[in-house]
Amino acid sequence: MPLTSEPLHKLGFLTIGLFDEADPRRGHESTLQIIELGERLGFDSAWVRHRHLQYGISSPVAVLAAVSQRTSRIELGTAVIPLGWENPLRLAEDLATVDILSGGRLNPGVSVGPPMHYERVKDALYPDTADAEDFSFERVRRLLDLVRGEPATDFSGTEGFESFSDRVQPHSPGLGRRLWYGGGSLRSAQWAGEHGMNFLTSSVVKAEGSGEPEDFAEIQLSHIRTFRAHHPDGDRARVSQGLVVIPTDSATPEQRAKYEAYARERTPRTATPQGPARLMFAPDLVGTSSEIAERLYAHAAFREIDEVAFALPFTFEHEDYVQILTDIATGLGPALGWRAAA
C-alpha cells in the first residue's frame, strides 16, 4: 500500500438518524446507541445530519444535547445545520448551552442558502418576512459574532431584580474556534478561510466553470487549498473530509450483497456533473479495509487532510451500522495510520 498521506489524526463518522414515522423514538434511540458505540470504539467524533420535514433528525442540537449526557469523551458535530431555517441569535444560545453541557465537545457545522423547497415552506417558516430574509454568508457572520461573544444588544446591567448581559449567555469561550462551514464550492471555501472557520468537505462538490476538470478528487483538492490559502492558520487550518465508506471485513454475505447493490445504484451519478448546479458526487467506497485504504491513499484530496467524518449510508439497519463502525475502527482506521482514543 503506498503511504502517500500523513497518518490519519482524527477519525469520525456521520449519521442521518432515520426513523419510522409510526415509531420515531426507536430511530432516535438507535442514533444515540450508535454514537455511544462510536465512543467505546475510540472514534474521535460523531456527527449528525439534519432533515427538515423528513424522517431524519430535524433538531440536531437537541439530539446532541441528549448524546452529551450519555457520552464523556467523543466530540459531537453537526454536518450541517442549514442556517436558512435558523435565527442566528437563538441558535447561538442553543449551541453554547449544549457545548457547556458536553464539557466543550461541540463542533457545530453550518451552511447557508435558501431552505430546500423554499417556495412551498416559506409561509410556514417566515410568514411575515419571507421576501426580506437574507440567506447569504451574512447569516453565518452573525452567528460567528454571537458565538464568539460580540454584543447582541447595547444594554447590560441590572433592571429591578434581574441582571442582563449584552452578549449571548451562556458564553462558551472555546466554541468560536470549533465552528465549521460545510462547503462544496471555491467561494464557500474562500469565505470560510477568510473568517477563520474550520472546513467540512463532503461527498458532493460543484464543478465550477467549463474549464475545470470534471474529476471529483481534483475539484475537492482545489477547495481545500483555496480554504487554507485564505485562512490565518494556513496549512494548519482544519479540514475534515466526509466520503461514504463501507468496509466489509466482518460483513455477512447478505450484508455485502446489500452494500454493493447500494453503491451500484448510486454510481451513475458520479460519472458527470449533475443538474444546473453541476454537482459532482464521489463514488461510495465498498470493500475490505485494505481495499478502501488503497483507494483513499490514491485520492488527491485525502492526501491533504488528516481528519475524516466518514458518512454512514442512509437506509441501512442498526446491525449494519454496528458492523460498519466496528470495521472502520478496528480495520480501516488503523490501515490509515489512526490510533483509537483511550
Side-chain angles (χ1 to χ4, degrees):
M1 181 182 301
L3 296 176
T4 54
S5 174
E6 292 295 319
L8 191 63
H9 179 59
K10 286 183 176 289
L11 176 64
F13 67 92
L14 168 63
T15 179
I16 192 175
L18 285 183
F19 59 85
D20 185 335
E21 183 180 16
D23 187 12
R25 186 181 189 281
R26 181 171 176 266
H28 283 77
E29 178 63 27
S30 172
T31 296
L32 299 182
Q33 291 177 5
I34 287 297
I35 296 176
E36 288 180 286
L37 172 65
E39 178 163 272
R40 293 196 300 272
L41 289 170
F43 278 87
D44 297 292
S45 62
W47 303 72
V48 294
R49 286 193 189 275
H50 84 282
R51 280 297 183 268
H52 289 302
L53 301 179
Q54 293 179 267
Y55 307 109
I57 294 171
S58 62
S59 183
V61 179
V63 169
L64 293 183
V67 173
S68 75
Q69 303 306 293
R70 293 170 60 158
T71 57
S72 61
R73 176 197 54 79
I74 195 168
E75 295 184 2
L76 306 171
T78 62
V80 291
I81 297 173
L83 291 186
W85 294 78
E86 305 288 343
N87 178 294
L89 193 152
R90 277 292 300 117
L91 180 60
E93 292 177 327
D94 287 346
L95 294 175
T97 299
V98 176
D99 195 46
I100 295 294
L101 290 172
S102 71
R105 292 185 282 139
L106 194 62
N107 283 261
V110 300
S111 66
V112 292
M116 185 181 293
H117 304 139
Y118 188 53
E119 290 302 315
R120 298 177 180 177
V121 75
K122 67 180 184 180
D123 289 340
L125 186 59
Y126 298 116
D128 302 315
T129 62
D131 296 330
E133 291 293 330
D134 182 356
F135 298 123
S136 71
F137 288 120
E138 173 64 16
R139 215 174 183 94
V140 191
R141 189 200 59 75
R142 288 168 55 200
L143 178 69
L144 284 173
D145 287 349
L146 292 164
V147 168
R148 291 170 175 173
E150 293 297 319
T153 174
D154 60 2
F155 172 72
S156 63
T158 302
E159 187 174 77
F161 295 101
E162 298 187 66
S163 297
F164 293 87
S165 170
D166 62 354
R167 65 178 182 174
V168 165
Q169 297 296 339
H171 176 64
S172 187
L175 183 58
R177 297 190 298 274
R178 284 180 269 113
L179 284 165
W180 298 71
Y181 190 84
S185 68
L186 286 168
R187 181 167 174 256
S188 60
Q190 178 175 333
W191 193 94
E194 289 172 344
H195 289 79
M197 299 184 75
N198 307 305
F199 191 56
L200 290 166
T201 181
S202 69
S203 56
V204 186
V205 297
K206 287 185 178 181
E208 301 166 286
S210 58
E212 184 172 330
E214 295 179 358
D215 178 85
F216 179 93
E218 291 298 329
I219 294 171
Q220 191 170 64
L221 176 62
S222 72
H223 295 172
I224 293 170
R225 289 181 173 174
T226 296
F227 165 73
R228 286 178 166 158
H230 290 86
H231 196 287
D233 293 339
D235 290 344
R236 295 181 293 107
R238 294 180 67 184
V239 179
S240 180
Q241 186 187 49
L243 303 180
V244 177
V245 303
I246 312 176
T248 59
D249 303 84
S250 66
T252 66
E254 293 77 17
Q255 286 175 317
R256 282 196 294 273
K258 176 166 65 173
Y259 302 163
E260 290 166 359
Y262 175 87
R264 189 164 52 248
E265 183 178 357
R266 287 157 49 94
T267 296
R269 68 178 187 164
T270 68
T272 58
Q274 303 291 300
R278 291 177 54 81
L279 298 180
M280 288 289 294
F281 294 84
D284 301 333
L285 304 182
V286 182
T288 65
S289 289
S290 60
E291 290 169 343
I292 293 175
E294 188 85 26
R295 294 178 68 181
L296 287 172
Y297 278 127
H299 194 289
F302 178 82
R303 293 198 297 266
E304 297 265 328
I305 55 95
D306 64 1
E307 298 187 40
V308 296
F310 288 136
L312 297 177
F314 293 165
T315 57
F316 291 177
E317 301 298 323
H318 183 90
E319 294 73 17
D320 300 328
Y321 296 136
V322 170
Q323 175 264 311
I324 292 169
L325 283 183
T326 302
D327 282 358
I328 291 175
T330 60
L332 179 57
L336 298 172
W338 172 78
R339 293 185 178 183

